[in-house]
Amino acid sequence: MAAARPFLKMHGAGNDFVVLDARAHPLDLAPAAAARIADRHRGVGCDQIILIEPDDGAAAFMRILNADGSESGACGNATRCVAALLAGETGARRLAIRTNAGLLPAEIKGPTLVEVDMGAPKLGWEDIPLAEPADTLSLRLALGPVQNPAACSMGNPHATFFVDDLTHLQIETIGPKLEHARLFPERANIGFARIDAPDRIRLRVWERGAGLTLACGSGACAALVNAHRRGLAARRAEIEMDGGTLTLTWRDDGHVLMEGPVALVFEGELDAAMLAP
Ligand SMILES: N[C@@H](CCC[C@H](N)C(=O)O)C(=O)O
């Protein structure tokens, strides 16, 4: 059985994480163990579990496990948190974190502020991925009051619905049904965006494998990209979510810059039984 492990509880705009450092001692975390740790009553409680692993060409490799134990290729808010953590070890202001989405350069902008280059979105139906050829600017998907989202991948699949009213939207009801829609063979993160101005978007995200979170960094990137593609937003906007606001820029070179807060909440130790498969 694995030994007890220290962990850090962190969050980025309220999107919260249990961070485990597996650089010195590898940790093969089974989906059931991830779900156990993420449980907000019987575990530590978090949206995602983040494993920091060794990497030859970057400060570290970041493995992302959702609260349901599924693995994702991108997690914007956690990337900022891990960048801040690793920068604090060396005093560096610039570093790069590798995820399955690629090599993500990060810059420390302040004691609790980090900017990450999230790379370029993928816009083709097969890159999202979708189950069939489709115009990713307007998918033939509708449920209740929402329809025709735009879709892109930030290393993970996102569909963004544009709505006028976020107050009466039953996201807990329609979110899981859309997450598991047949159109999304790997499921999808579902964003609901209200355009308040060309440079201001109000966003709520039903996250794949985690549910309604207070913020979603890759979801914010997808919302800006999809809004700009639709002619609804500029290339730079403030994305306001329940847990906080991120500043997003879709650069002319195609890369999306995301700036936002990071926080360390507490340190703890996971009992070995929590880590068992
Ligand atoms: N909260 C993250 C996204 C985490 C992964 C996502 N739920 C997925 O399964 O793709 C973010 O800040 O991007």
Side-chain angles (χ1 to χ4, degrees):
M1 178 185 282
R5 301 279 294 230
F7 72 86
L8 297 177
K9 184 71 189 296
M10 303 187 79
H11 75 85
N15 183 197
D16 65 338
F17 314 108
V18 168
V19 182
L20 293 158
D21 191 343
R23 288 175 288 176
H25 305 289
L27 177 59
D28 182 11
L29 202 64
R36 190 183 306 130
I37 294 165
D39 187 307
R40 294 193 185 276
H41 300 288
R42 293 177 291 262
V44 178
C46 60
D47 295 326
Q48 280 86 30
I49 291 91
I50 304 298
L51 298 179
I52 303 175
E53 299 177 347
D55 187 276
D56 294 336
F61 179 86
M62 189 177 86
R63 188 171 306 280
I64 305 146
L65 298 175
N66 284 308
D68 71 351
S70 62
E71 186 162 356
S72 174
C75 183
N77 289 316
T79 305
R80 295 199 315 276
C81 289
V82 169
L85 202 57
L86 300 186
E89 291 176 347
T90 63
R93 279 194 58 244
R94 288 184 171 84
L95 66 165
I97 308 286
R98 193 186 309 275
T99 74
N100 286 330
L103 192 64
L104 307 179
E107 182 176 351
I108 309 304
K109 299 286 209 168
T112 60
L113 189 66
V114 179
E115 179 183 79
V116 175
D117 176 349
M118 292 290 287
K122 295 180 178 174
L123 308 177
W125 68 271
E126 60 276 37
D127 296 317
I128 307 294
L130 301 179
E132 60 200 31
D135 173 6
T136 62
L137 204 48
S138 181
L139 301 182
R140 294 174 61 187
L141 177 64
L143 183 64
V146 299
Q147 65 280 321
N148 303 120
C152 71
S153 170
M154 290 304 301
N156 56 348
H158 288 271
T160 310
F161 289 89
F162 294 99
V163 301
D164 295 325
D165 171 25
L166 279 170
T167 310
H168 299 99
L169 211 49
Q170 299 296 314
I171 295 178
E172 291 87 343
T173 303
I174 62 176
K177 293 174 182 173
L178 291 165
E179 172 193 352
H180 291 85
R182 185 193 63 76
L183 186 57
F184 305 123
E186 296 179 7
R187 298 185 286 164
N189 299 283
I190 310 296
F192 303 93
R194 187 187 70 211
I195 306 294
D196 291 342
D199 63 352
R200 186 150 195 88
I201 299 173
R202 179 72 171 88
L203 177 69
R204 305 189 80 196
V205 182
W206 176 269
E207 283 199 32
R208 175 180 65 169
L212 182 59
T213 59
L214 293 179
C216 180
S218 56
C221 296
L224 177 69
V225 165
N226 287 331
H228 186 74
R229 292 167 71 200
R230 281 274 186 91
L232 302 173
R235 278 188 168 268
R236 179 182 174 87
E238 301 289 310
I239 314 295
E240 181 190 350
M241 292 170 278
D242 294 350
T245 299
L246 303 183
T247 302
L248 272 295
T249 305
W250 190 13
R251 281 191 329 212
D252 291 336
D253 67 357
H255 285 222
V256 181
L257 294 186
M258 170 196 60
E259 181 183 82
V262 299
L264 170 61
V265 183
F266 63 86
E267 303 179 22
E269 184 174 86
L270 280 170
D271 185 83
M274 290 296 288
L275 297 162

